[in-house]
């Protein structure tokens, strides 16, 4: 069936058959055909450059072209074009802040526990994107807690506590006395706050089933700087063995406040701090729109290709994950960091080596043991080919954590640290 596509930039309508014959000729006379490999990246780069140069005529023409060729339901190129088009249009019209807030509001209203749980569990079933960090972090935490009886984990992540059932199982089967576990969950995303009551009840029920003395506390950190939290607010006691666990949460901390957060971690005197972040740099290039756009496009091209390879074409979960990306892309490319959008909404990712430079000011890195590495490798074998575990190739003599690679491209970084 032919798809009718209405452009906001013109009254002209085209069908998907007509789209297949469109070509674009730039000022240099070169021709770009969307049927060729990576046509979306080329048009998007040209549009980003035109916005940087404030070339209104070229901006309008490229936005029109991208709108005619893009689709949230097409192939990988069409999807990339669709979601980056939104961000480029917002950048060109200086409407990023308004658009971002609207998208977040719509997502908040439609968010519920059942859909959130189904989405994250399906993602973990088909891809190790999040489970890689869970397995690596759990291994480091369990080794740091060996022999301790009063455990306290400060969990700063937004993966709906899906990391902790396997850790509870491991604690329940310890050869010595079963320890007590206190879990303090610091929520940094407003979407997660709405479902934490249900998650708390399920975690308590599972802990009882495992026979592990368990206490869980939830702190809403989405409306305050994370570095402002205190040891008292986190409920840390002197007789507890403490671990701090951060899965994809530090990117949401404002760049200028990251040092404060790391010093907060140090003040808790933890046995171990586990950090997992996606391998992308949207920070060092934030003053250069074209460079930041290139970094953003490279990262999300890998991510969308991974989703395409992992899910069926008609998967609702895949569509939901891609829609989440649209908000992040607009936040990075179309919103001024100085605009007060809200705490916890920063999307300035940094690469593993950048985090290492920050963390080494107060912590020392702990290499993952052979047992933990073996567990991670066993996890990756459960998924389809293309995934691998790699170490930092730029500094082979320096331990800087481990990386999850997708088709030889590093995409997620995991590390463990001690004071």
């Amino acid at each position: 069936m032919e798809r009718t596509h209405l452009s906001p930039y013109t009254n002209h309508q085209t069908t998907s058959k007509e789209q297949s014959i469109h070509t674009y000729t730039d000022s240099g006379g070169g021709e770009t055909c969307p049927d060729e490999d990576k046509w979306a990246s080329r048009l998007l780069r040209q549009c980003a450059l035109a916005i940087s140069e404030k070339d209104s005529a070229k901006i309008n023409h490229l936005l029109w072209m991208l709108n005619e060729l893009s689709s949230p339901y097409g192939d990988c190129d069409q999807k990339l074009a669709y979601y980056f088009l939104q961000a480029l249009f917002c950048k060109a019209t200086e409407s990023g802040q308004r658009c971002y807030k609207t998208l977040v509001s719509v997502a908040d209203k439609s968010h519920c526990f059942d859909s959130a749980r189904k989405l994250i569990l399906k993602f973990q079933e088909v891809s190790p994107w999040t489970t890689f960090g869970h397995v690596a972090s759990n291994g480091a935490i369990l080794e740091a807690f060996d022999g301790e009886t009063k455990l306290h984990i400060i969990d700063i992540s937004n993966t709906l506590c899906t990391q902790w059932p396997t850790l509870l199982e491991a604690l329940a089967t310890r050869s010595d006395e079963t320890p007590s576990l206190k879990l303090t969950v610091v929520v940094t995303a407003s979407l997660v706050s709405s479902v934490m009551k249900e998650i708390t009840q399920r975690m308590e029920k599972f802990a009882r089933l495992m026979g592990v003395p368990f206490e869980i506390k939830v702190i809403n950190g989405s409306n305050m700087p994370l570095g402002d939290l205190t040891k008292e607010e986190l409920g840390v006691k002197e007789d507890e063995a403490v671990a701090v666990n951060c899965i994809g949460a530090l990117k949401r901390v404002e760049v200028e406040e990251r040092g404060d957060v790391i010093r907060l971690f140090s003040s808790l005197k933890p046995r171990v701090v586990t950090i997992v972040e996606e391998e992308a740099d949207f920070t060092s290039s934030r003053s250069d729109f074209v460079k930041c756009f290139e970094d953003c496009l490279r990262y999300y091209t890998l991510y969308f290709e991974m989703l395409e390879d992992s899910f069926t074409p008609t998967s609702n979960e895949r569509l939901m994950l891609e829609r989440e990306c649209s908000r992040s892309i607009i936040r990075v490319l179309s919103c001024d960091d100085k605009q007060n959008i809200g705490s916890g909404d920063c999307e300035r990712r940094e690469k593993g080596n950048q985090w290492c430079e920050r963390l080494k000011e107060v912590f020392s890195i702990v290499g993952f043991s052979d047992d933990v590495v073996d567990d991670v490798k066993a996890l990756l074998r459960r998924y389809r080919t293309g995934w691998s575990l790699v170490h930092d190739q730029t500094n082979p003599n320096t331990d800087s954590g481990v990386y999850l690679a997708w088709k030889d491209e590093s995409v997620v970084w995991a590390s463990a640290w001690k004071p």
Side-chain angles (χ1 to χ4, degrees), residues 37 57 59 66 74 158 259 368 402:
D37 187 38
I59 291 170
L66 285 164
N158 297 306
F368 290 107
V402 294

Side-chain angles (χ1 to χ4, degrees), residues 97-373:
Q97 183 180 20
R98 182 175 68 252
C99 181
Y100 178 78
K101 286 186 173 182
T102 299
L103 289 174
V104 170
S105 176
V106 170
D108 278 339
K109 290 176 181 177
S110 62
H111 197 66
C112 68
F113 172 76
D114 286 338
S115 64
R117 176 177 174 273
K118 183 180 178 182
L119 174 61
I120 197 165
L121 290 179
K122 183 62 178 179
F123 189 30
Q124 291 176 354
E125 176 188 330
V126 301
S127 167
W129 198 277
T130 58
T131 51
F132 161 79
H134 289 178
V135 172
S137 297
N138 279 354
I141 290 170
L142 286 168
E143 290 179 351
F145 279 168
D146 187 38
E148 300 290 343
T149 59
K150 294 188 70 175
L151 316 180
H152 188 177
I153 297 175
I154 312 294
D155 180 29
I156 308 171
S157 59
N158 297 306
T159 53
L160 308 185
C161 290
T162 53
Q163 177 177 351
W164 304 122
T166 53
L167 184 132
L168 282 168
E169 288 185 56
L171 293 178
T173 56
R174 257 180 35 171
S175 57
D176 53 356
E177 178 186 354
T178 301
S180 63
L181 174 63
K182 179 161 65 176
L183 181 64
T184 300
V185 181
V186 182
V187 177
T188 61
S190 58
L191 282 176
V192 177
S193 299
S194 62
V195 299
M196 282 310 298
K197 181 178 179 180
E198 178 77 23
I199 291 169
T200 295
Q201 294 171 350
R202 286 173 177 254
M203 286 295 300
E204 290 172 336
K205 182 178 179 181
F206 186 79
R208 286 196 298 270
L209 180 65
M210 290 291 102
V212 177
F214 181 72
E215 175 187 348
I216 183 170
K217 175 183 177 182
V218 178
I219 297 175
N220 186 358
S222 61
N223 296 314
M224 62 182 294
L226 192 59
D228 287 355
L229 287 170
T230 65
K231 186 176 181 178
E232 291 70 30
E233 288 172 323
L234 293 169
V236 174
K237 308 296 183 183
E238 292 298 330
D239 61 343
E240 296 172 337
V242 175
V244 179
N245 179 74
C246 297
I247 307 287
L250 293 185
K251 69 185 179 191
R252 305 182 69 86
V253 177
E254 296 295 335
V255 177
E256 291 74 20
E257 298 171 3
R258 290 175 182 177
D260 294 337
V261 173
I262 292 170
R263 285 186 286 275
L264 165 66
F265 294 167
S266 179
S267 72
L268 303 177
K269 299 178 181 177
R271 300 296 173 87
V272 68
V273 177
T274 50
I275 308 288
V276 179
E277 287 291 335
E278 290 154 331
E279 182 69 356
D281 179 11
F282 302 160
T283 301
S284 62
S285 60
R286 58 180 170 159
S287 61
D288 182 341
F289 174 70
V290 174
K291 177 65 167 62
C292 187
F293 178 86
E294 289 282 355
D295 293 336
C296 198
L297 181 61
R298 184 205 70 83
Y299 170 78
Y300 281 107
T301 297
L302 279 172
Y303 187 76
F304 273 60
E305 287 175 350
M306 178 275 296
L307 292 179
E308 184 175 53
D309 198 66
S310 301
F311 288 94
T312 61
T314 57
S315 167
N316 287 330
E317 290 82 15
R318 175 185 171 188
L319 185 62
M320 292 169 68
L321 288 166
E322 289 164 347
R323 285 175 177 168
E324 286 182 5
C325 292
S326 73
R327 299 193 291 273
S328 298
I329 294 168
I330 288 172
R331 181 67 178 93
V332 172
L333 296 178
S334 311
C335 298
D336 189 333
D337 283 354
K338 296 178 182 178
Q339 291 174 321
N340 184 23
I341 292 179
S343 296
D345 278 335
C346 179
E347 285 284 348
R348 292 296 176 188
R349 291 167 171 82
E350 291 186 287
K351 290 188 175 183
N353 61 346
Q354 294 169 292
W355 287 115
C356 282
E357 290 302 313
R358 294 183 182 277
L359 289 157
K360 283 178 179 176
E361 293 181 9
V362 291
F363 291 107
S364 300
I365 195 161
V366 181
F368 290 107
S369 69
D370 291 342
D371 287 341
V372 174
V373 170

Side-chain angles (χ1 to χ4, degrees), residues 13-70:
Q13 292 186 9
T14 66
T15 66
S16 53
K17 279 187 178 178
E18 292 171 323
Q19 288 174 15
S20 66
I21 61 172
H22 272 303
T23 59
Y24 170 69
T25 304
D26 63 21
S27 58
E31 189 172 81
T32 300
C33 176
D35 290 331
E36 293 174 2
D37 187 38
K38 306 296 183 187
W39 60 266
S41 296
R42 288 195 293 273
L43 286 180
L44 290 168
R45 287 189 180 98
Q46 291 170 10
C47 190
L49 184 60
I51 290 173
S52 177
E53 295 174 345
K54 296 182 169 51
D55 187 336
S56 299
K58 196 169 185 179
I59 291 170
N60 289 335
H61 183 62
L62 285 164
L63 289 176
W64 180 84
M65 283 295 301
L66 285 164
N67 186 71
E68 293 297 297
L69 297 170
S70 65

